[in-house]
Amino acid sequence: MKNIKLFFLISILHLIGYSQSSKTVTIGILADKSFEETIPLLTKLKAEIKGVVGQDATIVFREALENEFDVEKAKSNYKTLVNSDVDIILAFGVINTIIIDKEEEYPKPVILFGSANSDFYDFPEGQKTSEIRNITYLITPFSYTDDLTVFKTLFNYKNIGIIVDDFIPEILPINKLFDDYFAKNDGSYRLIPLPKNGNISLDLNGVDAIYLAGGFYLNDNQFKSLVTDINLKKLPSFSAFSKEDVEKGILASNQPETNINQFFRRIALNVESIINGVNLSELPIYLDYKNELSINSSTAKQIGFPLRYSMLANVDFISGSNDVNTGTSYSIIDIMNGVVDKNLSLENERINIELSNQDVKTAKSSYLPDLSASATGLYIDPKVAEISNGANPEFSTSGSVTLEQVIYSESVGASITINENLQKAQEEIYNAAELDALLDASVAYFNALILKTNVEIQNQNLQVTKKNLDIADQNFIAGESGKSDVLRFRSQLAQNTQSLINAENQKQQAFNAINQLLNNPINTEFDISDARISEGIFINYKYQDFLEILDDPKLRPSLIKFLVEEAKRNAPELKNIGFNLKATQRTYRLNNLGRFVPTVALQGQYDLAFSESGKGSTIPSGFAASPDGTYNVALNLSVPIFQQNQRNINRQTARIQEDQLSVQKENVELNIERNVNDILLDLINQIANIEISKISEEAARESLDLTQNAYSQGAVPLIQLIDAQTNYLQAQLARATANYDYLLTSMQLERAIGYFFLMNTEASNQDFIQRARQYILNNN
């Protein structure tokens, strides 16, 4: 429950043992309703009163009297205390506030602190005490009408639903208050009563926004259910109470975090004043604190509420405890799998594999039969046809079918082998591109996490600057510092606001990069899940184990050697060179002795005459008629003897290419060895950063707290406070990024060795780890 609400409803106080003092003071408590959550606050309040009163008196607390929101019972409870032996009455809650405030005389001192806000107190302007004997109030900057005005600047509501406890309209002129307000301002309202039985199934239809002005007695589950109903209807909401409501899912509030210490100290001081003989009519009634507008960014995203950069300087943005996934939330595995499935660059490489496969098919097709058919229509000079004795008629049509089949060809066989190796080389190009894409996915993921964390830290830093500005204002008013301090922090506030805007835009750019990798529309909304060493999917990324091996001069060389060998064995770049080398060697053999291997081919043809007419179409007597269909079969052997010296040139080129590939292989192997060694050194650095950043952040935070306190007391200059704040900001960023940097460096190592643990099965990973352990043992 909200601390301020709990404070309003303090109900049960135990009897405090007597201490050695000059007199005994008995304090009676009036409360509307008690809650289990009030017990820690009661202990704190008792300690505060005893600490302030000290040895001046022995304080005895009577058991609290509750009215259960019943007006008549509240009156009876008050009379009971008035007629009892209590010396001071502490009254909390809206019912007690209204009932006691209507009394004309107060026989016993009454300290009144209820939830009826300043809208219902009609004190003359400038009046700072109650001016009524034996009563004082604790009035805070708490106003329904002011809240509605602030809410209107955030969201231009037309018909707002105002949730109030169902008994409030019976004891407070709340309808008149809102009628008068909306008569002077745009919009309308509808009261939504919240029953005492805890039924939170409210009618939220017909309104475009919600103002929460009730619900003192709701427990955490009931409050959560109410907030869920409001947000599911995508209604902007505003709480009349504290920032804790915003943390639990309400969109906004103009109240700061509950300063329970400030409330308790005022009550304790009032009790001390009574004991010292001061009449309550002379004590101040206003408890001043600065309103602070806060917005739950998670709720804003959930309900589609637009957040403007212009709000940053004046609004405290918090994520709240109601974080929900309004869209997709990606883990690093989701992004890596998405890249493999949908990345356009990888798809282009897959198409290249298909194209190389077509080249293999083309090469193999040379061993398939070549069958062709043709038809011919022929016209011959009649003079020639006439003397041809029927062999060449004037008009004729014929057809032929030709079959050619290569039986063996060295060039065809070489072409098949070469293209098969080039296809495998292309597959290794894809494998290398996939590993690079997986690393790019990891980089994009951790970069987005770093920038997301940067936004949160920059926002926290902005709030620190706001706090420092408040301190500077207070010091200036008290005369403890000059106007220059205030102006310096206002300038700092503007700079921090700009830093937060930049951080938010950089985070969005990182999210755009992830969308591009996943082939999503760039404006697709999503979130990313956090990553922690030795937790979740990174449970096996135990940097302490790495540290122990890397820190041991005997074990480190063996680990490095094993990883280098694994990297060379897995490297698709080396495999690609190997397949290209095989293709080049086959080209060399073809153009060396292979050119003397004959090509053997079988050829057959069948010819058929369809028709003959005209002169010469009749065969003279005594001549034999030629058959209509004829065929022939031939076996062909061919050997290229000299082809313009191209064979020798091709052979020399193949030898040069072979030497080039050998050089490339050596270079790749050297790069692999260097990368593995460099990344392992980076891992050691990241491990050190993790441990150092923890200490640095804790020290910087403590230093900032001490410096803020010292500055508020005028003990240190402004520049020292700014330095402490800057140091804390840098320490926070270093601490936040150290974890991600280590995991990212681990992913870089996995790319270097060509094996991503997150993309393999647990069995494969355990096999890898076991081989590493065995290798290290065998070499030590």
Side-chain angles (χ1 to χ4, degrees):
M1 292 292 294
K2 300 167 283 293
N3 286 339
I4 192 168
K5 291 182 180 178
L6 294 176
F7 184 55
F8 291 157
L9 303 175
I10 291 178
S11 59
I12 300 176
L13 287 172
H14 300 291
L15 185 64
I16 300 180
Y18 291 94
S19 62
Q20 298 297 322
S21 60
S22 58
K23 58 182 176 179
T24 299
V25 175
T26 303
I27 298 178
I29 305 294
L30 293 176
D32 285 348
K33 189 176 181 179
S34 64
F35 290 96
E36 182 180 350
E37 292 88 344
T38 61
I39 295 176
L41 294 177
L42 297 179
T43 303
K44 192 175 182 67
L45 176 60
K46 289 187 292 183
E48 184 69 21
I49 292 176
K50 289 182 63 178
V52 171
V53 173
Q55 300 299 318
D56 292 344
T58 297
I59 306 298
V60 176
F61 288 94
R62 296 296 188 202
E63 185 176 355
L65 299 180
E66 303 173 15
N67 59 56
E68 296 291 338
F69 306 108
D70 183 275
V71 173
E72 294 303 320
K73 190 173 182 179
K75 293 178 180 179
S76 174
N77 289 342
Y78 174 65
K79 291 180 180 179
T80 299
L81 289 185
V82 169
N83 296 326
S84 69
D85 62 346
V86 301
D87 301 302
I88 301 173
I89 299 174
L90 302 183
F92 304 101
V94 61
I95 302 296
N96 287 320
T97 298
I98 300 304
I99 296 305
I100 297 175
D101 186 53
K102 291 180 179 180
E103 295 289 320
E104 296 181 357
E105 295 181 354
Y106 301 94
K108 294 185 177 182
V110 178
I111 300 174
L112 192 61
F113 183 31
S115 60
N117 60 57
S118 58
D119 292 323
F120 302 104
Y121 287 104
D122 190 20
F123 293 114
E125 185 176 354
Q127 180 176 333
K128 296 183 179 180
T129 66
S130 69
E131 298 183 358
I132 301 174
R133 179 177 173 77
N134 276 347
I135 188 169
T136 190
Y137 305 86
L138 271 71
I139 302 176
T140 63
F142 182 64
S143 167
Y144 293 149
T145 55
D146 289 348
D147 282 350
L148 290 171
T149 300
V150 173
F151 194 13
K152 189 76 169 180
T153 63
L154 290 179
F155 178 71
N156 189 25
Y157 54 80
K158 303 301 181 185
N159 183 30
I160 188 170
I162 302 177
I163 298 177
V164 297
D165 298 300
D166 59 0
F167 56 83
I168 292 295
E170 300 175 3
I171 59 176
L172 284 177
I174 197 165
N175 290 91
K176 183 179 184 306
L177 176 71
F178 293 134
D179 287 342
D180 292 344
Y181 177 83
F182 283 101
K184 301 174 184 178
N185 297 277
D186 294 336
S188 60
Y189 78 97
R190 175 165 68 87
L191 283 184
I192 303 176
L194 192 62
K196 291 191 291 290
N197 61 13
N199 182 7
I200 54 166
S201 299
L202 304 180
D203 179 12
L204 303 179
N205 296 320
V207 297
D208 58 357
I210 292 295
Y211 179 51
L212 183 63
F216 298 133
Y217 51 86
L218 294 180
N219 59 39
D220 285 345
N221 289 333
Q222 290 172 327
F223 187 84
K224 182 178 180 181
S225 180
L226 176 62
V227 170
T228 300
D229 289 345
I230 293 172
N231 291 340
L232 284 177
K233 290 184 176 294
K234 298 190 179 300
L235 295 173
S237 54
F238 198 96
S239 173
F241 309 112
S242 69
K243 182 179 178 180
E244 284 87 343
D245 282 359
V246 180
E247 293 173 346
K248 293 182 178 181
I250 292 294
L251 175 65
S253 175
N254 200 33
Q255 296 294 318
E257 281 187 84
T258 304
N259 192 345
I260 262 317
N261 293 332
Q262 187 178 5
F263 296 144
F264 287 171
R265 176 55 60 91
R266 174 61 69 84
I267 293 173
L269 289 173
N270 287 347
V271 170
E272 181 188 40
S273 297
I274 296 171
I275 293 173
N276 292 332
V278 179
N279 194 281
L280 291 179
S281 62
E282 303 173 12
L283 298 180
I285 57 177
Y286 292 104
L287 187 65
D288 292 328
Y289 57 79
K290 188 175 180 180
N291 290 93
E292 296 178 3
L293 182 60
S294 56
I295 293 179
N296 188 317
S297 56
S298 298
T299 297
K301 186 175 182 180
Q302 181 182 357
I303 68 175
F305 183 82
L307 298 177
R308 300 184 296 273
Y309 289 134
S310 57
M311 299 177 179
L312 291 175
N314 303 313
V315 176
D316 180 12
F317 287 100
I318 58 179
S319 59
S321 60
N322 67 313
D323 287 343
V324 292
N325 293 328
T326 57
T328 303
S329 181
Y330 292 132
S331 68
I332 186 173
I333 294 181
D334 295 328
I335 297 176
M336 294 173 81
N337 286 328
V339 164
V340 173
D341 293 338
K342 299 188 295 182
N343 183 259
L344 293 180
S345 296
L346 286 183
E347 182 61 26
N348 182 62
E349 293 299 334
R350 277 191 285 265
I351 293 174
N352 285 335
I353 293 177
E354 294 179 10
L355 290 174
S356 64
N357 189 49
Q358 294 300 110
D359 292 338
V360 174
K361 291 180 180 179
T362 300
K364 290 182 176 180
S365 68
S366 296
Y367 274 126
L368 296 177
D370 183 9
L371 181 65
S372 62
S374 64
T376 304
L378 183 63
Y379 171 75
I380 296 178
D381 187 337
K383 297 178 181 178
V384 176
E386 188 174 8
I387 62 175
S388 68
N389 297 319
N392 294 303
E394 183 180 1
F395 298 99
S396 65
T397 59
S398 63
S400 65
V401 176
T402 302
L403 175 65
E404 294 182 357
Q405 173 66 58
V406 175
I407 297 175
Y408 177 79
S409 171
E410 180 67 10
S411 61
V412 171
S415 177
I416 293 173
T417 303
I418 291 170
N419 280 286
E420 285 177 340
N421 281 290
L422 292 179
Q423 182 199 24
K424 293 176 181 177
Q426 187 63 51
E427 290 175 353
E428 295 304 327
I429 291 176
Y430 170 81
N431 291 335
E434 183 176 275
L435 291 174
D436 289 337
L438 290 173
L439 179 60
D440 290 342
S442 303
V443 171
Y445 170 76
F446 286 113
N447 187 44
L449 271 181
I450 290 172
L451 293 174
K452 179 182 177 182
T453 304
N454 183 41
V455 171
E456 297 172 358
I457 293 175
Q458 292 293 347
N459 184 39
Q460 294 172 12
N461 186 57
L462 183 64
Q463 306 316 313
V464 172
T465 300
K466 291 178 182 178
K467 181 178 180 180
N468 290 341
L469 177 58
D470 289 341
I471 297 173
D473 277 329
Q474 294 169 8
N475 287 353
F476 174 65
I477 294 172
E480 296 178 359
S481 65
K483 184 70 173 179
S484 60
D485 284 15
V486 176
L487 296 176
R488 178 64 181 84
F489 277 118
R490 287 180 181 171
S491 174
Q492 186 75 24
L493 183 65
Q495 295 173 17
N496 294 157
T497 301
Q498 184 60 49
S499 296
L500 179 56
I501 293 173
N502 292 340
E504 180 64 36
N505 289 334
Q506 289 173 357
K507 184 195 80 171
Q508 189 56 52
Q509 289 173 340
F511 279 37
N512 291 344
I514 292 176
N515 275 330
Q516 181 183 14
L517 286 173
L518 298 179
N519 193 24
N520 292 336
I522 293 299
N523 60 351
T524 299
E525 291 189 2
F526 64 92
D527 198 4
I528 50 177
S529 55
D530 201 0
R532 295 290 174 186
I533 299 172
S534 303
E535 296 180 13
I537 59 178
F538 291 101
I539 192 169
N540 291 323
Y541 284 64
K542 299 176 180 178
Y543 69 92
Q544 288 292 353
D545 294 346
F546 253 124
L547 178 60
E548 291 177 5
I549 298 177
L550 293 176
D551 195 43
D552 191 325
K554 293 182 179 180
L555 300 181
R556 182 170 60 246
S558 298
L559 174 63
I560 294 175
K561 188 176 180 181
F562 170 77
L563 293 176
V564 169
E565 290 184 7
E566 283 292 317
K568 292 179 180 179
R569 185 167 64 88
N570 296 331
E573 294 86 356
L574 291 179
K575 294 177 182 179
N576 171 268
I577 292 174
F579 289 123
N580 275 290
L581 187 59
K582 290 180 180 180
T584 301
Q585 290 170 344
R586 187 67 181 90
T587 301
Y588 177 83
R589 292 198 302 272
L590 171 65
N591 290 282
N592 189 30
L593 298 178
R595 59 182 170 174
F596 300 116
V597 179
T599 297
V600 181
L602 183 67
Q603 182 177 4
Q605 182 171 320
Y606 178 77
D607 299 310
L608 177 65
F610 297 140
S611 66
E612 296 178 349
S613 61
K615 293 183 178 180
S617 60
T618 302
I619 300 174
S621 175
F623 287 87
S626 60
D628 293 335
T630 61
Y631 65 89
N632 61 77
V633 177
L635 182 65
N636 181 275
L637 278 77
S638 62
V639 177
I641 297 176
F642 188 78
Q643 293 179 307
Q644 302 172 327
N645 204 34
Q646 290 183 5
R647 292 279 185 162
N648 288 328
I649 295 173
N650 291 340
R651 182 184 60 184
Q652 294 167 1
T653 301
R655 182 62 72 188
I656 294 172
Q657 290 174 338
E658 185 176 351
D659 294 338
Q660 183 185 40
L661 290 170
S662 298
V663 172
Q664 288 180 3
K665 180 181 179 182
E666 292 179 10
N667 187 46
V668 170
E669 289 177 341
L670 188 60
N671 283 335
I672 289 174
E673 189 170 353
R674 176 191 170 185
N675 286 339
V676 171
N677 279 270
D678 288 350
I679 294 172
L680 285 173
L681 292 175
D682 286 341
L683 277 174
I684 297 175
N685 292 336
Q686 300 305 334
I687 291 170
N689 288 339
I690 289 173
E691 301 303 322
I692 293 173
S693 64
K694 293 178 184 178
I695 301 173
S696 177
E697 183 188 20
E698 293 171 0
R701 180 174 58 250
E702 184 177 355
S703 175
L704 176 59
D705 291 340
L706 294 174
T707 307
Q708 279 181 331
N709 291 333
Y711 177 76
S712 65
Q713 298 171 8
V716 298
L718 171 142
I719 191 63
Q720 189 169 335
L721 178 56
I722 292 178
D723 288 344
Q725 180 181 350
T726 302
N727 186 43
Y728 181 51
L729 171 64
Q730 293 173 347
Q732 281 182 299
L733 292 172
R735 169 71 183 278
T737 58
N739 171 73
Y740 303 138
D741 287 341
Y742 172 81
L743 291 174
L744 177 56
T745 305
S746 297
M747 303 304 287
Q748 291 171 340
L749 178 61
E750 292 178 15
R751 170 59 186 95
I753 64 176
Y755 185 91
F756 282 97
F757 282 86
L758 295 179
M759 301 301 291
N760 284 278
T761 64
E762 181 64 22
S764 297
N765 293 338
Q766 291 302 320
D767 177 68
F768 183 97
I769 294 172
Q770 185 59 37
R771 284 190 289 109
R773 290 173 177 169
Q774 190 62 46
Y775 187 94
I776 294 173
L777 289 175
N778 292 341
N779 287 270
N780 286 279

